[in-house]
Amino acid sequence: MTTFELTKEYLEKIETAIEQKDETLLKAEMEELYPADIASILLELDGEPAHYLMTLVDTEMGAEILSHIEPDDRKRFIKERFTVEEIAKYVNLFDSDDAVDLLNEQTIEVREKVIALIEDREQARFILDMLHYPEDVAGGLMQKELIKVNANWTVSECVEEIRRQAEDVEKVYAVYVVDDEQKLKGIVSLKRIILARKNTKIENILDEDIVYVETTRPAEEVAEIMQRYDLDAIPVVNTLGRLLGRITIDDVVDFITDKAEEDIQVMAGITGEAEEDDSVWQLAKARLPWLIVGVIGSLLAATVIGSFEDEFKKVAALAAFIPIMGSTGGNVGIQTSSLIVQSLAEKSGITTSLGQRLFKIILVALVNGLIIGSLAGLYIYVSGETQLFFVVCLSLLSVVVLASFTGTVTPLLLDRLGINPAIASGPFITTANDIIGIGTYLMIANLLLHL
């Protein structure tokens, strides 16, 4: 099957076929596509045509398609046309974690009706157990579907259980071993099961050295643990050590992707979630808050500049170096804060004190400031504005040091207050360092030019 590319011509072909109710053509086209490709088509169609197209694919394919649609789009798509019975039909085929995600997008009334219609009552119980977990903890990421066996069983009994449970488990990475109280004892690989004699007890071949997480462990830590130990799946236990579910790598990747997109938008000064196909007002509302902050910052910078009007009258060349002070401070602040945010995201057991961090940052800033100041001084010497030599050199050094300090302390402070430190890497740092840079430059100029 070749890679699908949704073109305008192909979309028009599908829309025409839907208008003409050409089921033969539409079914033939859908059979040639992956669920993810069909999902991209649905997002380009209006409610009724999209719903009609969904009725032409079998239920299993429909469930796959829905799982490939982003939550916000899926919520809108389902709300427009789907009945409770249709939602339940697809939820019956979802893994428990995907089913919980879909149901959390619905109203409480719809959610309760759908759960009541789920045919597999064990699946319904799984979903009810998971609904009370927040999305950003291990319990909210886990799925109940896994293969577990008792430590006292033989390999032969284990194989039979694997055959039985595997019907409901899409991806089998390993087999989890529990005791009579359902407490996690270890893990046994499929390779060991295959190579062992059929009468061998599972407790004799299990690996007790297993990495697991509790239901309340933050999702960021789960992702970091799975990355550190290169895990395809990780078991989830409750406070008593009883096995409740597992988290697979695809769910962690989805979480990391969503988190990264959120941080990128925050760093860019966009509040909330903004998509390209959102309305004009939604896009404007998402961008406006930090634009207002930027304007206020610029007005404050203008106020600072205006208060040094006498200096500009005496040395007009002072104005020529204002842009470099603001841009340098902003760039240094962004560089420093981005590194701090990255270090906060990649938490390890080794911690560095604030004093050590600041000392290192200041040393780096001094090196960079001296080099940048020397380059600027060389330019001033060549251009003939020698009276500003020390003003610009010292100002750039001061701006780099102050911006580095601000870029270090701000994200650490926000993180301590429980606020997303990525905010510090966006317009906040840029705006703050514009004011700091320009203000520092003009104060140093006022001081040195009057000596």
Side-chain angles (χ1 to χ4, degrees), residues 155-305:
V155 168
S156 179
E157 291 173 312
C158 176
V159 170
E160 288 302 316
E161 184 67 12
I162 290 173
R163 287 173 179 166
R164 187 186 70 81
Q165 294 186 36
E167 295 180 3
D168 300 321
V169 182
E170 183 179 351
K171 297 175 183 177
V172 180
Y173 296 106
V175 177
Y176 300 105
V177 183
V178 298
D179 60 16
D180 293 335
E181 295 180 351
Q182 299 302 306
K183 291 184 178 180
L184 182 64
K185 304 300 292 182
I187 191 171
V188 58
S189 67
L190 296 178
K191 180 179 179 180
R192 281 195 176 184
I193 293 173
I194 293 171
L195 295 177
R197 295 181 181 276
K198 63 180 181 180
N199 292 324
T200 303
K201 287 285 189 72
I202 293 298
E203 64 182 356
N204 294 327
I205 61 173
L206 67 83
D207 182 2
E208 295 182 346
D209 184 17
I210 181 173
V211 180
Y212 61 87
V213 293
E214 301 78 15
T215 53
T216 55
R217 182 70 69 92
E220 291 91 344
E221 293 183 20
V222 175
E224 192 274 330
I225 291 171
M226 293 187 72
Q227 181 182 28
R228 184 193 308 169
Y229 297 108
D230 195 23
L231 301 175
D232 294 318
I234 189 169
V236 182
V237 301
N238 63 11
T239 54
L240 298 176
R242 290 174 178 163
L243 180 63
L244 296 184
R246 65 171 181 167
I247 299 172
T248 54
I249 189 64
D250 56 324
D251 294 316
V252 170
V253 169
D254 289 341
F255 173 81
I256 293 173
T257 302
D258 292 341
K259 185 68 176 175
E261 290 176 352
E262 176 187 334
D263 285 346
I264 288 171
Q265 290 196 348
V266 169
M267 291 168 68
I270 300 175
T271 58
E273 294 185 3
E275 302 290 342
E276 187 179 357
D277 57 355
D278 286 343
S279 68
V280 172
W281 170 242
Q282 286 175 314
L283 290 173
K285 187 171 64 173
R287 301 177 188 185
L288 196 56
W290 280 111
L291 290 177
I292 293 174
V293 171
V295 169
I296 293 173
S298 297
L299 292 174
L300 289 174
T303 303
V304 171
I305 294 171

Side-chain angles (χ1 to χ4, degrees), residues 310-350:
D310 293 339
E311 276 67 26
F312 289 116
K313 290 179 181 179
K314 295 175 183 177
V315 185
L318 275 174
F321 297 96
I322 288 178
I324 192 175
M325 299 300 166
S327 62
T328 300
N331 289 335
V332 171
I334 290 245
Q335 289 176 345
T336 308
S337 63
S338 296
L339 289 174
I340 296 299
V341 170
Q342 183 180 0
S343 70
L344 290 172
E346 299 173 356
K347 293 178 180 176
S348 64
I350 303 174

